[in-house]
Amino acid sequence: SYKPNIAFYEAHGLKGWQALEKTIAYLNEKCPDHFTIADAKRGDIGNTSSRYAKAFFEELNFDSITVAPYMGKDSIEPFLEYENKHTILLALTSNVGAFDYQTKMIGDQMLYQKVIDISKEWKNSRNLMYVIGATKAEYLADVRKIIPDSFLLVPGVGAQGGSLEKVCEFGMNDQVGLLVNSSRGILYASNGRDFAEAAAKKARELHVQMKKILINY
Amino acid sequence: SYKPNIAFYEAHGLKGWQALEKTIAYLNEKCPDHFTIADAKRGDIGNTSSRYAKAFFEELNFDSITVAPYMGKDSIEPFLEYENKHTILLALTSNVGAFDYQTKMIGDQMLYQKVIDISKEWKNSRNLMYVIGATKAEYLADVRKIIPDSFLLVPGVGAQGGSLEKVCEFGMNDQVGLLVNSSRGILYASNGRDFAEAAAKKARELHVQMKKILINY
């Protein structure tokens, strides 16, 4: 799977957007079977979200996009209308700020659990996936009580220090159900001219770790 | 003030981004004293948010940007680092989905109140403004208890049905402290060839309404 981070393209203005179009066109041509994720964290009122959906699902032809839940149902449903596309809802993120709001109690649930729970009622919610940070692996057991079958995108292994073993222990279901992501751990493996080889090495290492766990599974 | 909605540009891909660059360059040249808002609803972990901040504050040179609070402190502080730029935090939005999470009780506060309350502690929080939807004007009295002096961006007058009078009644402070926004009510005033005149007429009508209220203020 490939997960371009849209901010790093936008920061370069028009040239950045051009590079983004080239990147996704290249991925869709060279690796048509690989799942692509626009890491964009979008979300707005309905008529606006439908434009973001068009941008990433039609114009750029990504398989999925990350979205923020704060504005609720009508901010996400326009993304869910697309068949064969996945909308990846932020639930429990891997950063420190996650504790500002996401883990606050609303009745007997934390906000992130409420986010997941309510989202199950949205139209075409079968197209939803969820972000659960690897840095909070123990929470995955609670997540699996609410959505045993959903696919989870798990960032935070690598630079952010999350443990792959713990993520698998608490988060796997009988379809595996996990897409574990290391970004900076691979991308920034080397600042030298050997950056590509160093990144490939890091990716292979993680691949081997994953394989070991899956064999015992 | 001008508030381009970024989604409507992104939906056109590279051409859209080009149009966005032209739009903001035109505004900055022709109306340098007008406050510009990138309505982008961005927000991500720190190193990514710093790239979005660069895109909108440096590359495009907007005066402000709307951001989503879900990922907490480190997702917003990179925007706040910019002096003379404003970061407009979603608090209580004008759409129906606002009731999904934003008005849920956390202890003795609703989530949107908690969002505002906690954000006051962030570094450079003086650069924050807040989105409070006009469709929920009565809530503005509670908002003013938490942030009496902050500037509020109030969308939802016009197409979404919010009342200008009520917004002013509950939300004004002794600096006025309100930036009331009508988008579709003005932009979509006519689908015919007279769209520009019709939009100007709607904008003037709203301007007159605002003036009347401010005279009595």
Side-chain angles (χ1 to χ4, degrees), chain A residues 5 7-8 10-11 13-14 17-18 21 40-45 47-48 51-52 54-56 59 69-74 90-91 95 97 100-102 106 112 115 118 122 184, chain B residues 5 7-8 10-11 13-14 17-18 21 40-45 47-48 51-52 54-56 59 69-74 91 95 97 100-102 106 112 115 118 122 184:
Chain A
N5 183 327
F8 286 77
E10 286 188 7
L14 196 62
W17 202 263
Q18 203 159 21
E21 289 194 351
K41 314 280 200 302
R42 298 297 194 265
D44 207 311
I45 61 172
N47 82 318
T48 301
R51 296 295 91 185
Y52 282 125
K54 184 177 184 294
F56 289 98
E59 281 292 318
Y70 191 71
M71 295 181 69
K73 175 176 165 145
D74 58 300
L90 297 182
N95 62 321
D100 278 356
Y101 309 118
Q102 298 167 24
I106 293 176
Y112 86 89
V115 161
I118 290 179
W122 297 340
R184 284 176 285 172
Chain B
N5 184 328
F8 287 77
E10 287 188 5
L14 197 60
W17 202 262
Q18 204 158 20
E21 289 194 349
K41 313 284 199 301
R42 298 296 195 264
D44 207 311
I45 61 171
N47 81 319
T48 301
R51 298 294 90 189
Y52 282 126
K54 184 175 185 296
F56 289 98
E59 282 291 319
Y70 191 72
M71 294 180 70
K73 175 176 166 146
D74 58 301
N95 61 321
D100 278 356
Y101 310 118
Q102 297 167 23
I106 294 176
Y112 85 90
V115 162
I118 290 178
W122 297 341
R184 283 175 286 170

Coordinates of all heavy atoms in Angstrom, one line a residue, chain A residues 5 7-8 10-11 13-14 17-18 21 40-45 47-48 51-52 54-56 59 69-74 90-91 95 97 100-102 106 112 115 118 122 184, chain B residues 5 7-8 10-11 13-14 17-18 21 40-45 47-48 51-52 54-56 59 69-74 91 95 97 100-102 106 112 115 118 122 184:
Chain A
N5 N 1.3 11.7 1.6 CA 0.9 12.7 2.5 C 0.7 14.0 1.8 O 1.6 14.7 1.4 CB 1.9 12.9 3.7 CG 1.5 13.8 4.7 OD1 0.8 14.8 4.5 ND2 1.9 13.6 6.0
A7 N -0.1 17.1 2.4 CA 0.5 18.4 2.9 C 1.9 18.6 2.3 O 2.2 19.8 2.0 CB 0.6 18.4 4.4
F8 N 2.6 17.6 2.1 CA 4.0 17.7 1.6 C 4.0 18.1 0.1 O 5.0 18.6 -0.4 CB 4.8 16.5 1.9 CG 5.2 16.4 3.4 CD1 4.3 15.9 4.3 CD2 6.5 16.8 3.8 CE1 4.6 15.9 5.7 CE2 6.8 16.7 5.2 CZ 5.9 16.3 6.1
E10 N 1.2 20.0 -1.2 CA 0.6 21.3 -1.2 C 1.6 22.4 -0.8 O 1.5 23.5 -1.3 CB -0.6 21.3 -0.2 CG -1.8 20.6 -0.7 CD -3.1 20.8 0.1 OE1 -3.0 21.6 1.1 OE2 -4.1 20.2 -0.1
A11 N 2.5 22.0 0.1 CA 3.5 23.0 0.6 C 4.3 23.6 -0.6 O 5.0 24.6 -0.5 CB 4.4 22.4 1.6
G13 N 3.0 24.3 -3.6 CA 2.1 25.0 -4.5 C 1.8 24.2 -5.7 O 1.6 23.0 -5.7
L14 N 1.7 24.9 -6.8 CA 1.3 24.3 -8.1 C 2.2 23.1 -8.5 O 1.7 22.1 -8.9 CB 1.3 25.4 -9.2 CG 0.6 25.1 -10.5 CD1 -0.9 24.9 -10.3 CD2 0.9 26.2 -11.5
W17 N 1.2 20.1 -6.5 CA 0.0 19.5 -7.0 C 0.3 18.7 -8.3 O -0.2 17.6 -8.5 CB -1.1 20.5 -7.2 CG -2.5 19.8 -7.2 CD1 -3.2 19.4 -8.2 CD2 -3.2 19.5 -6.0 NE1 -4.3 18.8 -7.8 CE2 -4.4 18.8 -6.4 CE3 -3.0 19.6 -4.6 CZ2 -5.4 18.4 -5.6 CZ3 -4.0 19.2 -3.7 CH2 -5.1 18.5 -4.2
Q18 N 1.2 19.2 -9.1 CA 1.6 18.5 -10.3 C 2.3 17.2 -9.9 O 2.1 16.1 -10.5 CB 2.6 19.4 -11.1 CG 2.7 19.1 -12.6 CD 3.2 20.4 -13.3 OE1 3.8 21.2 -12.7 NE2 2.9 20.4 -14.6
E21 N -0.2 14.6 -8.8 CA -0.8 14.0 -9.9 C 0.1 12.9 -10.6 O -0.4 11.8 -11.0 CB -1.3 15.0 -11.0 CG -2.4 15.9 -10.5 CD -3.1 16.7 -11.6 OE1 -2.6 16.8 -12.7 OE2 -4.2 17.3 -11.3
A40 N -5.0 12.9 3.7 CA -5.5 14.3 3.5 C -6.2 14.9 4.6 O -6.4 16.1 4.7 CB -6.3 14.4 2.2
K41 N -6.8 14.0 5.5 CA -7.5 14.5 6.7 C -8.6 15.5 6.3 O -8.7 16.5 7.0 CB -6.6 15.0 7.8 CG -5.3 14.2 8.0 CD -5.6 13.0 8.9 CE -4.3 12.4 9.6 NZ -3.3 11.9 8.7
R42 N -9.3 15.3 5.3 CA -10.3 16.3 4.9 C -11.6 16.1 5.6 O -11.8 15.1 6.4 CB -10.6 16.1 3.4 CG -9.4 16.5 2.5 CD -9.0 17.9 2.6 NE -8.0 18.3 1.5 CZ -6.7 18.3 1.6 NH1 -6.1 17.8 2.7 NH2 -6.0 18.6 0.6
G43 N -12.6 17.0 5.5 CA -13.9 17.0 6.1 C -14.5 18.3 6.2 O -13.9 19.3 6.7
D44 N -15.7 18.5 5.7 CA -16.4 19.8 5.7 C -17.9 19.6 5.5 O -18.3 18.4 5.5 CB -15.8 20.6 4.5 CG -15.9 22.1 4.7 OD1 -17.0 22.6 5.1 OD2 -14.9 22.8 4.5
I45 N -18.7 20.6 5.5 CA -20.1 20.4 5.3 C -20.4 19.6 4.0 O -19.5 19.6 3.1 CB -20.9 21.7 5.3 CG1 -20.5 22.7 4.2 CG2 -20.8 22.4 6.6 CD1 -21.4 23.9 4.1
N47 N -21.9 19.7 0.9 CA -21.6 20.1 -0.4 C -20.1 20.3 -0.7 O -19.7 20.2 -1.8 CB -22.5 21.4 -0.8 CG -21.8 22.7 -0.4 OD1 -21.3 22.7 0.7 ND2 -21.9 23.7 -1.2
T48 N -19.4 20.6 0.4 CA -17.9 20.8 0.2 C -17.2 19.5 0.2 O -16.3 19.2 -0.6 CB -17.4 21.7 1.3 OG1 -18.0 23.0 1.2 CG2 -15.9 22.0 1.2
R51 N -17.0 17.8 -3.0 CA -15.9 18.3 -3.9 C -14.6 17.6 -3.5 O -13.8 17.3 -4.4 CB -15.8 19.8 -3.8 CG -17.0 20.6 -4.2 CD -17.2 20.5 -5.7 NE -18.2 19.4 -5.9 CZ -18.6 19.0 -7.1 NH1 -18.1 19.5 -8.2 NH2 -19.4 18.0 -7.2
Y52 N -14.3 17.5 -2.2 CA -13.0 16.8 -1.8 C -13.1 15.3 -2.3 O -12.1 14.8 -2.8 CB -12.8 16.9 -0.3 CG -12.3 18.2 0.2 CD1 -13.0 18.9 1.2 CD2 -11.1 18.7 -0.3 CE1 -12.5 20.1 1.7 CE2 -10.6 19.9 0.1 CZ -11.3 20.6 1.1 OH -10.9 21.8 1.6
K54 N -14.6 14.2 -4.9 CA -14.4 14.3 -6.4 C -12.9 14.4 -6.6 O -12.3 13.8 -7.5 CB -15.2 15.4 -7.0 CG -15.1 15.5 -8.5 CD -15.9 16.6 -9.1 CE -15.9 16.6 -10.6 NZ -14.6 17.0 -11.2
A55 N -12.2 15.3 -5.9 CA -10.8 15.6 -6.1 C -10.0 14.3 -6.0 O -9.2 14.0 -6.8 CB -10.3 16.7 -5.1
F56 N -10.2 13.6 -4.9 CA -9.3 12.5 -4.6 C -9.8 11.2 -5.2 O -9.0 10.3 -5.5 CB -9.2 12.4 -3.0 CG -8.3 13.5 -2.5 CD1 -8.9 14.6 -1.9 CD2 -7.0 13.5 -2.7 CE1 -8.2 15.7 -1.5 CE2 -6.2 14.5 -2.2 CZ -6.8 15.6 -1.6
E59 N -10.7 12.8 -9.7 CA -9.6 13.5 -10.4 C -8.3 12.7 -10.3 O -7.6 12.4 -11.2 CB -9.4 14.9 -9.8 CG -10.4 15.9 -10.4 CD -10.2 16.3 -11.8 OE1 -9.0 16.4 -12.3 OE2 -11.2 16.4 -12.6
P69 N -13.5 13.4 11.7 CA -14.9 13.1 12.0 C -15.6 14.3 12.7 O -16.8 14.3 12.9 CB -14.8 12.0 13.1 CG -13.5 12.2 13.8 CD -12.6 12.8 12.7
Y70 N -14.9 15.4 13.0 CA -15.4 16.4 13.9 C -16.8 17.0 13.5 O -17.6 17.3 14.3 CB -14.4 17.5 14.1 CG -14.8 18.5 15.2 CD1 -14.7 18.1 16.6 CD2 -15.2 19.8 14.9 CE1 -15.0 19.0 17.6 CE2 -15.5 20.7 16.0 CZ -15.5 20.3 17.3 OH -15.8 21.1 18.3
M71 N -17.0 17.1 12.2 CA -18.2 17.7 11.6 C -19.3 16.7 11.4 O -20.4 17.1 10.9 CB -17.9 18.6 10.4 CG -17.0 19.8 10.7 SD -16.6 20.8 9.3 CE -18.2 21.6 9.0
G72 N -19.1 15.5 11.7 CA -20.2 14.5 11.8 C -20.7 14.0 10.4 O -20.0 14.2 9.4
K73 N -21.8 13.3 10.5 CA -22.4 12.5 9.4 C -22.4 13.1 8.0 O -21.9 12.6 7.1 CB -23.9 12.2 9.9 CG -24.7 11.5 8.8 CD -26.1 11.2 9.4 CE -27.1 10.8 8.3 NZ -28.0 9.8 8.7
D74 N -22.9 14.4 7.9 CA -23.1 14.9 6.6 C -21.7 15.3 6.0 O -21.6 15.6 4.8 CB -24.0 16.1 6.5 CG -23.7 17.2 7.5 OD1 -23.6 17.0 8.7 OD2 -23.5 18.4 7.0
L90 N -10.6 9.2 11.0 CA -9.7 9.3 12.2 C -10.5 8.9 13.4 O -11.6 9.5 13.7 CB -9.3 10.8 12.4 CG -8.4 11.4 11.3 CD1 -8.1 12.9 11.7 CD2 -7.2 10.6 11.1
A91 N -10.0 8.0 14.2 CA -10.7 7.6 15.5 C -9.7 8.0 16.6 O -9.8 9.0 17.3 CB -11.0 6.2 15.5
N95 N -0.7 10.7 17.7 CA 0.1 11.9 18.2 C -0.3 12.2 19.7 O -1.3 11.7 20.2 CB -0.2 13.1 17.4 CG -1.6 13.5 17.3 OD1 -2.5 12.6 17.3 ND2 -1.9 14.8 17.4
G97 N -1.5 15.0 20.9 CA -2.7 15.7 21.0 C -4.0 14.9 21.0 O -5.1 15.4 21.3
D100 N -6.0 15.3 24.0 CA -6.7 16.5 24.3 C -8.2 16.3 24.2 O -8.9 16.8 25.1 CB -6.3 17.6 23.2 CG -5.0 18.3 23.6 OD1 -4.5 18.0 24.6 OD2 -4.6 19.1 22.8
Y101 N -8.7 15.6 23.2 CA -10.1 15.4 23.1 C -10.5 13.9 22.9 O -11.5 13.5 23.4 CB -10.6 16.2 21.9 CG -10.2 17.6 21.9 CD1 -9.4 18.2 20.9 CD2 -10.6 18.5 22.9 CE1 -9.0 19.5 20.9 CE2 -10.2 19.8 23.0 CZ -9.4 20.3 21.9 OH -9.0 21.6 22.0
Q102 N -9.8 13.2 22.1 CA -10.2 11.8 21.6 C -10.4 10.8 22.8 O -11.2 9.9 22.7 CB -9.2 11.3 20.7 CG -9.0 12.1 19.4 CD -7.8 11.7 18.6 OE1 -7.3 10.6 18.7 NE2 -7.3 12.6 17.8
I106 N -17.3 10.6 27.2 CA -18.7 11.0 26.9 C -19.6 9.9 27.4 O -19.7 8.8 26.8 CB -18.9 11.3 25.4 CG1 -18.0 12.4 24.9 CG2 -20.4 11.5 25.1 CD1 -18.1 12.7 23.5
Y112 N -13.4 8.9 21.0 CA -13.0 8.1 19.8 C -13.9 6.9 19.6 O -14.2 6.5 18.5 CB -11.5 7.8 19.8 CG -11.2 6.5 20.5 CD1 -11.2 5.3 19.9 CD2 -10.9 6.5 21.9 CE1 -10.9 4.1 20.6 CE2 -10.6 5.4 22.6 CZ -10.6 4.1 21.9 OH -10.3 3.0 22.6
V115 N -17.1 8.2 18.3 CA -16.9 8.5 16.9 C -17.2 7.2 16.1 O -17.9 7.2 15.1 CB -15.5 9.0 16.6 CG1 -15.1 8.9 15.1 CG2 -15.5 10.5 17.0
I118 N -21.0 5.8 16.4 CA -22.0 6.6 15.7 C -21.8 6.4 14.2 O -22.8 6.3 13.4 CB -22.0 8.1 16.1 CG1 -22.5 8.3 17.5 CG2 -22.8 9.0 15.1 CD1 -22.5 9.7 18.0
W122 N -24.0 5.4 9.6 CA -24.0 6.3 8.4 C -24.3 5.4 7.2 O -24.0 4.3 7.1 CB -22.7 7.1 8.3 CG -22.5 8.0 9.4 CD1 -23.4 8.5 10.3 CD2 -21.3 8.6 9.8 NE1 -22.8 9.4 11.2 CE2 -21.5 9.4 11.0 CE3 -19.9 8.5 9.4 CZ2 -20.5 10.2 11.6 CZ3 -18.9 9.2 10.0 CH2 -19.2 10.0 11.1
R184 N 7.8 7.8 8.2 CA 9.1 8.4 8.4 C 10.2 7.4 8.7 O 11.4 7.6 8.3 CB 9.1 9.5 9.5 CG 8.4 10.8 9.1 CD 8.2 11.7 10.2 NE 7.2 11.3 11.1 CZ 6.9 11.9 12.3 NH1 7.7 12.9 12.7 NH2 5.9 11.5 13.0
Chain B
N5 N -13.2 28.7 -0.8 CA -13.4 27.3 -0.3 C -12.5 26.4 -1.1 O -12.7 26.1 -2.3 CB -14.9 26.9 -0.4 CG -15.2 25.5 0.1 OD1 -14.3 24.6 0.1 ND2 -16.4 25.4 0.6
A7 N -11.9 23.2 -1.4 CA -12.4 22.0 -2.0 C -12.8 22.2 -3.5 O -12.6 21.4 -4.3 CB -13.5 21.4 -1.2
F8 N -13.4 23.4 -3.7 CA -14.0 23.7 -5.0 C -12.9 23.9 -6.1 O -13.1 23.9 -7.3 CB -15.0 24.9 -5.0 CG -16.3 24.4 -4.3 CD1 -16.4 24.3 -3.0 CD2 -17.4 24.2 -5.1 CE1 -17.6 23.9 -2.4 CE2 -18.6 23.7 -4.6 CZ -18.7 23.6 -3.2
E10 N -9.7 22.3 -5.5 CA -9.0 20.9 -5.6 C -9.8 20.0 -6.5 O -9.2 19.1 -7.2 CB -8.9 20.3 -4.2 CG -7.8 21.0 -3.4 CD -7.6 20.2 -2.1 OE1 -8.2 19.2 -1.8 OE2 -6.8 20.8 -1.3
A11 N -11.1 20.2 -6.6 CA -11.9 19.2 -7.4 C -11.6 19.3 -8.9 O -11.9 18.4 -9.6 CB -13.4 19.5 -7.2
G13 N -8.4 19.6 -9.9 CA -7.0 19.2 -10.1 C -6.0 20.3 -10.3 O -6.2 21.4 -9.7
L14 N -5.1 20.1 -11.1 CA -4.0 21.1 -11.3 C -4.5 22.4 -11.7 O -4.1 23.5 -11.3 CB -3.1 20.5 -12.4 CG -1.7 21.2 -12.6 CD1 -0.9 21.0 -11.3 CD2 -0.9 20.6 -13.7
W17 N -5.8 24.2 -8.8 CA -4.8 24.8 -7.9 C -4.2 26.1 -8.5 O -4.0 27.1 -7.8 CB -3.7 23.8 -7.6 CG -2.9 24.1 -6.4 CD1 -1.7 24.8 -6.3 CD2 -3.3 23.8 -5.0 NE1 -1.4 24.9 -5.0 CE2 -2.3 24.4 -4.2 CE3 -4.4 23.2 -4.4 CZ2 -2.4 24.3 -2.8 CZ3 -4.5 23.1 -3.0 CH2 -3.5 23.6 -2.2
Q18 N -4.1 26.0 -9.8 CA -3.7 27.2 -10.6 C -4.7 28.4 -10.3 O -4.3 29.5 -10.1 CB -3.6 26.9 -12.0 CG -2.7 27.7 -12.9 CD -2.3 27.0 -14.1 OE1 -2.9 26.1 -14.6 NE2 -1.2 27.4 -14.7
E21 N -4.3 29.8 -6.9 CA -3.1 30.7 -6.8 C -3.4 32.1 -7.4 O -3.1 33.2 -6.9 CB -1.9 30.1 -7.5 CG -1.3 28.9 -6.7 CD 0.1 28.5 -7.2 OE1 0.5 29.0 -8.3 OE2 0.7 27.7 -6.5
A40 N -10.2 25.6 4.5 CA -9.5 24.4 4.1 C -9.7 23.3 5.1 O -9.5 22.1 4.8 CB -8.0 24.7 4.0
K41 N -10.1 23.6 6.4 CA -10.4 22.6 7.4 C -9.2 21.6 7.5 O -9.4 20.4 7.6 CB -11.7 21.9 7.1 CG -12.9 22.7 6.8 CD -13.5 23.4 7.9 CE -14.9 23.9 7.7 NZ -15.2 24.9 6.6
R42 N -8.0 22.1 7.5 CA -6.8 21.2 7.7 C -6.6 20.8 9.1 O -7.1 21.4 10.0 CB -5.6 21.8 7.0 CG -5.7 22.1 5.5 CD -5.9 20.9 4.7 NE -5.7 21.1 3.3 CZ -6.6 21.4 2.4 NH1 -7.9 21.4 2.8 NH2 -6.3 21.6 1.1
G43 N -5.6 19.9 9.3 CA -5.2 19.5 10.7 C -4.6 18.1 10.6 O -5.3 17.1 10.1
D44 N -3.4 17.9 11.1 CA -2.7 16.6 11.1 C -1.6 16.6 12.2 O -1.5 17.6 12.9 CB -2.1 16.4 9.7 CG -1.9 15.0 9.3 OD1 -1.4 14.2 10.1 OD2 -2.3 14.6 8.2
I45 N -0.8 15.6 12.3 CA 0.2 15.6 13.3 C 1.2 16.7 13.0 O 1.2 17.2 11.8 CB 1.0 14.2 13.4 CG1 1.7 13.9 12.0 CG2 0.1 13.1 13.8 CD1 2.6 12.7 12.2
N47 N 4.4 17.6 12.3 CA 5.3 17.8 11.1 C 4.5 18.0 9.8 O 5.0 18.6 8.9 CB 6.3 16.7 11.0 CG 5.8 15.5 10.3 OD1 4.7 15.0 10.6 ND2 6.6 14.9 9.5
T48 N 3.3 17.4 9.8 CA 2.4 17.6 8.6 C 1.7 18.9 8.6 O 1.6 19.6 7.6 CB 1.4 16.4 8.5 OG1 2.2 15.2 8.4 CG2 0.6 16.5 7.3
R51 N 3.5 21.7 7.3 CA 3.5 21.8 5.8 C 2.3 22.5 5.3 O 2.3 23.2 4.3 CB 3.6 20.4 5.1 CG 4.9 19.6 5.4 CD 6.1 20.2 4.9 NE 6.7 21.2 5.8 CZ 7.7 22.0 5.5 NH1 8.3 22.0 4.3 NH2 8.2 22.8 6.4
Y52 N 1.1 22.2 5.9 CA -0.1 22.9 5.5 C 0.0 24.4 5.8 O -0.4 25.2 5.0 CB -1.3 22.3 6.2 CG -1.8 21.0 5.6 CD1 -2.0 19.8 6.4 CD2 -2.2 20.9 4.3 CE1 -2.4 18.6 5.9 CE2 -2.6 19.7 3.7 CZ -2.7 18.5 4.5 OH -3.2 17.4 4.0
K54 N 2.7 26.1 5.9 CA 3.6 26.7 4.8 C 2.8 26.9 3.5 O 2.9 28.0 2.9 CB 4.8 25.8 4.6 CG 5.8 26.3 3.6 CD 7.0 25.4 3.5 CE 8.1 26.0 2.5 NZ 7.7 26.1 1.1
A55 N 2.0 25.9 3.1 CA 1.2 26.0 1.9 C 0.3 27.2 1.9 O 0.3 28.0 0.9 CB 0.4 24.7 1.7
F56 N -0.4 27.4 3.0 CA -1.4 28.5 3.0 C -0.9 29.8 3.5 O -1.4 30.9 3.0 CB -2.7 28.0 3.8 CG -3.4 26.9 3.0 CD1 -3.2 25.6 3.4 CD2 -4.3 27.3 2.0 CE1 -3.9 24.6 2.6 CE2 -4.9 26.3 1.3 CZ -4.8 24.9 1.6
E59 N 3.2 30.0 0.8 CA 3.1 29.8 -0.7 C 2.0 30.7 -1.2 O 2.1 31.4 -2.1 CB 2.8 28.4 -1.0 CG 4.0 27.5 -1.0 CD 5.0 27.8 -2.2 OE1 4.5 28.1 -3.3 OE2 6.2 27.8 -1.9
P69 N -10.1 20.6 15.0 CA -9.5 20.4 16.3 C -9.2 19.0 16.7 O -8.6 18.7 17.7 CB -10.4 21.1 17.3 CG -11.8 20.8 16.7 CD -11.6 20.8 15.2
Y70 N -9.8 18.0 16.0 CA -9.8 16.6 16.5 C -8.5 16.0 16.9 O -8.5 15.3 17.9 CB -10.5 15.7 15.4 CG -10.8 14.3 16.0 CD1 -11.9 14.2 16.8 CD2 -10.1 13.2 15.6 CE1 -12.3 12.9 17.3 CE2 -10.5 12.0 16.1 CZ -11.5 11.8 16.9 OH -11.9 10.6 17.4
M71 N -7.4 16.4 16.3 CA -6.1 15.8 16.6 C -5.3 16.6 17.7 O -4.2 16.3 18.0 CB -5.3 15.6 15.4 CG -5.9 14.6 14.4 SD -4.9 14.3 12.9 CE -3.5 13.4 13.6
G72 N -6.0 17.7 18.2 CA -5.4 18.3 19.4 C -4.2 19.3 19.2 O -3.9 19.6 18.1
K73 N -3.6 19.6 20.3 CA -2.6 20.7 20.4 C -1.5 20.6 19.3 O -1.3 21.6 18.6 CB -2.0 20.5 21.8 CG -0.8 21.4 22.1 CD -0.3 21.2 23.5 CE 1.1 21.8 23.7 NZ 1.2 22.4 25.1
D74 N -0.8 19.5 19.2 CA 0.3 19.5 18.3 C -0.1 19.6 16.8 O 0.7 19.8 15.9 CB 1.2 18.3 18.5 CG 0.5 17.0 18.3 OD1 -0.5 16.7 19.1 OD2 0.9 16.2 17.5
A91 N -15.2 25.1 16.1 CA -15.7 24.8 17.4 C -17.1 24.2 17.3 O -17.3 23.0 17.3 CB -15.7 26.0 18.3
N95 N -23.5 22.9 10.4 CA -24.2 21.8 9.7 C -24.9 20.9 10.7 O -24.7 20.9 11.9 CB -23.2 21.0 8.9 CG -22.1 20.4 9.8 OD1 -21.7 21.0 10.7 ND2 -21.7 19.1 9.5
G97 N -24.5 17.7 11.1 CA -23.6 16.7 11.8 C -22.9 17.3 13.0 O -22.3 16.5 13.8
D100 N -23.6 15.4 16.0 CA -23.1 14.0 16.2 C -22.1 14.0 17.4 O -22.2 13.1 18.2 CB -22.4 13.5 14.9 CG -23.4 13.0 13.9 OD1 -24.6 13.0 14.3 OD2 -23.0 12.6 12.8
Y101 N -21.2 15.0 17.4 CA -20.1 14.9 18.4 C -20.0 16.2 19.2 O -19.8 16.3 20.4 CB -18.8 14.6 17.8 CG -18.8 13.3 16.9 CD1 -18.6 13.4 15.6 CD2 -19.2 12.1 17.5 CE1 -18.6 12.2 14.8 CE2 -19.3 11.0 16.7 CZ -19.0 11.0 15.3 OH -19.1 9.9 14.5
Q102 N -20.1 17.4 18.5 CA -19.7 18.7 19.0 C -20.5 19.1 20.2 O -20.1 19.8 21.1 CB -19.8 19.7 18.0 CG -18.8 19.5 16.8 CD -19.1 20.4 15.6 OE1 -19.7 21.5 15.8 NE2 -18.7 20.0 14.4
I106 N -19.1 16.4 27.8 CA -17.9 15.8 28.5 C -17.8 16.5 29.8 O -17.5 17.7 30.0 CB -16.6 16.2 27.7 CG1 -16.7 15.4 26.3 CG2 -15.3 15.8 28.4 CD1 -15.5 15.8 25.4
Y112 N -17.6 21.0 22.1 CA -17.1 22.2 21.4 C -16.6 23.2 22.4 O -15.7 24.0 22.2 CB -18.2 22.8 20.5 CG -19.2 23.7 21.2 CD1 -19.0 25.1 21.3 CD2 -20.4 23.2 21.7 CE1 -19.9 25.9 21.9 CE2 -21.3 24.1 22.4 CZ -21.0 25.4 22.5 OH -21.9 26.2 23.1
V115 N -13.3 22.0 23.5 CA -12.3 22.4 22.4 C -11.8 23.8 22.6 O -10.6 24.1 22.6 CB -13.0 22.2 21.0 CG1 -12.2 23.0 19.9 CG2 -13.1 20.7 20.6
I118 N -9.7 24.2 26.1 CA -8.3 23.6 26.1 C -7.5 24.4 25.1 O -6.3 24.7 25.4 CB -8.4 22.1 25.7 CG1 -9.0 21.3 26.8 CG2 -7.0 21.6 25.3 CD1 -9.2 19.8 26.6
W122 N -2.9 26.7 24.4 CA -1.9 26.4 23.4 C -1.0 27.6 23.2 O -1.4 28.7 23.4 CB -2.5 26.0 22.1 CG -3.3 24.7 22.2 CD1 -3.2 23.8 23.2 CD2 -4.4 24.2 21.4 NE1 -4.1 22.7 23.0 CE2 -4.8 23.0 21.9 CE3 -4.9 24.7 20.2 CZ2 -5.9 22.3 21.2 CZ3 -5.9 24.0 19.5 CH2 -6.4 22.8 20.1
R184 N -23.0 30.7 0.0 CA -23.9 30.3 -1.1 C -25.1 31.3 -1.3 O -25.5 31.5 -2.4 CB -24.5 28.9 -0.8 CG -23.5 27.8 -1.1 CD -24.1 26.5 -0.7 NE -24.0 26.3 0.7 CZ -24.6 25.3 1.4 NH1 -25.3 24.4 0.7 NH2 -24.5 25.2 2.7

